[in-house]
Amino acid sequence: MSESAGRMPERQETLATPMRAFVGLERIASVAPYRFGESIYFQDQPADCWYSILRGAARECAVNEDGRRQIVDFLLPGDVFGFSNGEARGLAAEIIAEPALVACYPRHRAEALAEADATIGRGIRKLAFESIERLQRRALLLGCNSAMQKVSAFLLEMAMRCGSISHEPIALPMTRYDIADYLALRVETVSRTLSALCRQGAIALVGTRRVRIIDHRRLAAPGTKFTRLPPAQQQCCA
Amino acid sequence: MSESAGRMPERQETLATPMRAFVGLERIASVAPYRFGESIYFQDQPADCWYSILRGAARECAVNEDGRRQIVDFLLPGDVFGFSNGEARGLAAEIIAEPALVACYPRHRAEALAEADATIGRGIRKLAFESIERLQRRALLLGCNSAMQKVSAFLLEMAMRCGSISHEPIALPMTRYDIADYLALRVETVSRTLSALCRQGAIALVGTRRVRIIDHRRLAAPGTKFTRLPPAQQQCCA
DNA sequence: CGTGGGGTTGATATAGTTCAAACTCTGTGG
DNA sequence: CCACAGAGTTTGAACTATATCAACCCCACG
């Protein structure tokens, strides 16, 4: 890995605030450190626990028969995940940025608490609804038809979720491969599109894993085109 | 519309079982009939209620700045939806098959009930988790890279959700345009792909709005190719 | 009988995949 | 210390699946 092998850039280093990380369930949480590449749970494993990322980042993904990996969600500090009715999960969760700290909430105990304490119950519903909204946004993102729109929407989403201050560069804890699997594109396309955005002056790449968003408008604009070869009039990014 | 303008084919005519339709919340539900094309709620409207489809079908969709419509979810009898934390929804819900019957659960009263009655609280969590799983399956579906895979996965999902008996034709309550917007494809591509599946003998079209799945395996196979023009050796469907 | 929405099919253009190569950075081992 | 390997990233050239544009059919409905 070209940039600090899976180590989380500083902007992400903040621990999730206790409030976001499951009010009232602290007492049944078991917190564990994870290393880069470790799995929090596996595909087709029983869904006994809910989880939340306290530090680091993870991906929720599936590998289908033809070996292609699909990433359904990136999980950042504060995100709660692993909700399921079924006995087995269809997805695996893996750490992509260390040092990572993950809280685990045994499902039956959590459900019992939710039923005993109305506040906790409400909190859990709220978190589940957050998952739903994140997944809906993701569906909208995947529904974009051009690579340009997908990558732009992805950058804006990451900026929003990282709570970045307007012109601070946002940290991407994932590789280009991860982004490609998330957007249902090829690595090459992701790379080319980022380069194009850079040439157009919409973003600036700080190293490979940080992006400074320069022109929010242009990113949000639907008509943004690829423009494979602009006759080199705008200066490229550093 | 070529086939009975938005009228739901019979297989869908069953009312959602009371159990699936929100145990215990019947007393605060207001049930209303809807007609084809009517909106249950609008994009950017406050999210005061949860809903469930009792009869008919609906789509949850967004229209973005460039006028393109994206369908995030198809809603069939028994599906509960409209969950949100935010004040405003990002999505609209519209009836696509009549006669439709929709139950509406005022959010604050429903939340109060959930907090007062543990069983109801658990029921709501379960429904929210169902939403999550449906959206995750959808993300996986959209992550497919070929039109063939998308359409195949869509048909299998519809078959599953309609609870169809193996060789009974499944009813598609939506138009080709809806399917296209759901899969992030063009109508023409959806149509061509269905025709191709038909030529290959994987499915049979019964009219335009019913599909009999003949070869489950072939649909599920990842390697399925488009084969634009097989030299007309297999007989086409009726 | 004409109109319009939905559906299918064909021809062409193009965005994105695929294959290939080179570069950077990190870590490892002589 | 240098050589080397490997993962991640970028760029180029060719190919191909899908979008796009256009024509047509079918049926329901006024």
Side-chain angles (χ1 to χ4, degrees), chain A residues 151 176 186-197 205 226:
Chain A
V151 172
R176 299 283 188 269
R186 295 284 136 175
V187 204
E188 296 94 328
T189 308
V190 171
S191 181
R192 273 188 251 273
T193 307
L194 284 172
S195 302
L197 281 171
L205 290 171
F226 203 114

Side-chain angles (χ1 to χ4, degrees), chain A residues 5-213:
Chain A
R7 173 149 273 105
M8 200 80 178
E10 282 83 46
R11 262 213 62 71
Q12 303 296 15
E13 285 287 0
T14 50
L15 277 173
T17 67
M19 202 205 65
R20 291 216 59 213
F22 247 156
V23 210
L25 261 64
E26 295 83 359
R27 54 186 135 156
I28 63 162
S30 54
V31 175
Y34 280 80
R35 289 221 310 272
F36 180 83
E38 269 190 285
S39 293
I40 303 170
Y41 49 80
F42 296 88
Q43 208 167 347
D44 307 318
Q45 230 188 8
D48 305 321
C49 290
W50 302 337
Y51 299 88
S52 90
I53 301 277
L54 301 181
R55 180 159 56 189
R59 62 183 172 222
E60 203 171 9
C61 59
V63 177
N64 48 14
E65 321 76 48
D66 60 344
R68 215 168 57 82
R69 185 186 64 173
Q70 291 178 264
I71 294 180
V72 172
D73 205 357
F74 286 120
L75 302 161
L76 303 180
D79 291 334
V80 180
F81 59 101
F83 296 126
S84 170
N85 288 316
E87 306 68 42
R89 301 175 194 285
L91 303 169
E94 299 159 6
I95 296 296
I96 57 172
E98 63 179 14
L101 218 50
V102 178
C104 166
Y105 312 89
R107 180 177 155 193
H108 285 103
R109 297 186 61 190
E111 301 244 25
L113 264 181
E115 282 166 34
D117 181 334
T119 312
I120 294 183
R122 185 166 354 116
I124 291 174
R125 278 196 302 281
K126 189 163 181 295
L127 290 163
F129 295 172
E130 262 173 41
S131 263
I132 291 175
E133 285 165 6
R134 204 163 60 228
L135 284 163
Q136 286 179 340
R137 275 199 307 276
R138 164 155 179 66
L140 287 179
L141 193 163
L142 271 180
C144 292
N145 37 16
S146 81
M148 201 71 216
Q149 290 180 328
K150 283 184 184 180
V151 172
S152 300
F154 167 73
L155 290 175
L156 290 174
E157 189 195 333
M158 286 306 295
M160 191 186 66
R161 288 178 62 186
C162 293
S164 88
I165 304 98
S166 193
H167 276 218
E168 278 293 292
I170 58 174
L172 303 177
M174 69 291 287
T175 67
R176 299 283 188 269
Y177 285 88
D178 286 329
I179 299 175
D181 289 346
Y182 183 69
L183 299 177
L185 295 171
R186 295 284 136 175
V187 204
E188 296 94 328
T189 308
V190 171
S191 181
R192 273 188 251 273
T193 307
L194 284 172
S195 302
L197 281 171
C198 221
R199 274 196 304 275
Q200 296 170 10
I203 63 170
L205 290 171
V206 186
T208 58
R209 296 293 196 88
R210 275 163 211 266
V211 176
R212 184 190 310 274
I213 294 183

Side-chain angles (χ1 to χ4, degrees), chain B residues 41-134:
Chain B
Y41 50 78
F42 295 89
Q43 208 167 348
D44 306 319
Q45 230 188 7
D48 305 321
C49 290
W50 301 336
Y51 298 88
S52 90
I53 300 276
L54 301 181
R55 180 159 56 189
R59 62 182 171 223
E60 202 171 9
C61 59
V63 176
N64 50 13
E65 322 76 49
D66 59 345
R68 216 167 57 82
R69 186 186 64 174
Q70 289 178 265
I71 293 180
V72 172
D73 205 358
F74 286 120
L75 303 162
L76 304 181
D79 290 334
V80 181
F81 59 101
F83 296 126
S84 170
N85 288 316
E87 306 68 42
R89 303 175 192 284
L91 303 169
E94 299 158 5
I95 296 296
I96 56 171
E98 60 179 16
L101 219 50
V102 178
C104 167
Y105 311 89
R107 179 176 153 193
H108 285 103
R109 298 185 62 192
E111 301 243 27
L113 264 182
E115 282 167 34
D117 181 334
T119 312
I120 294 183
R122 185 167 354 117
I124 292 174
R125 279 196 302 281
K126 189 161 180 297
L127 290 163
F129 296 171
E130 262 173 39
S131 263
I132 291 175
E133 284 165 6
R134 204 163 60 227

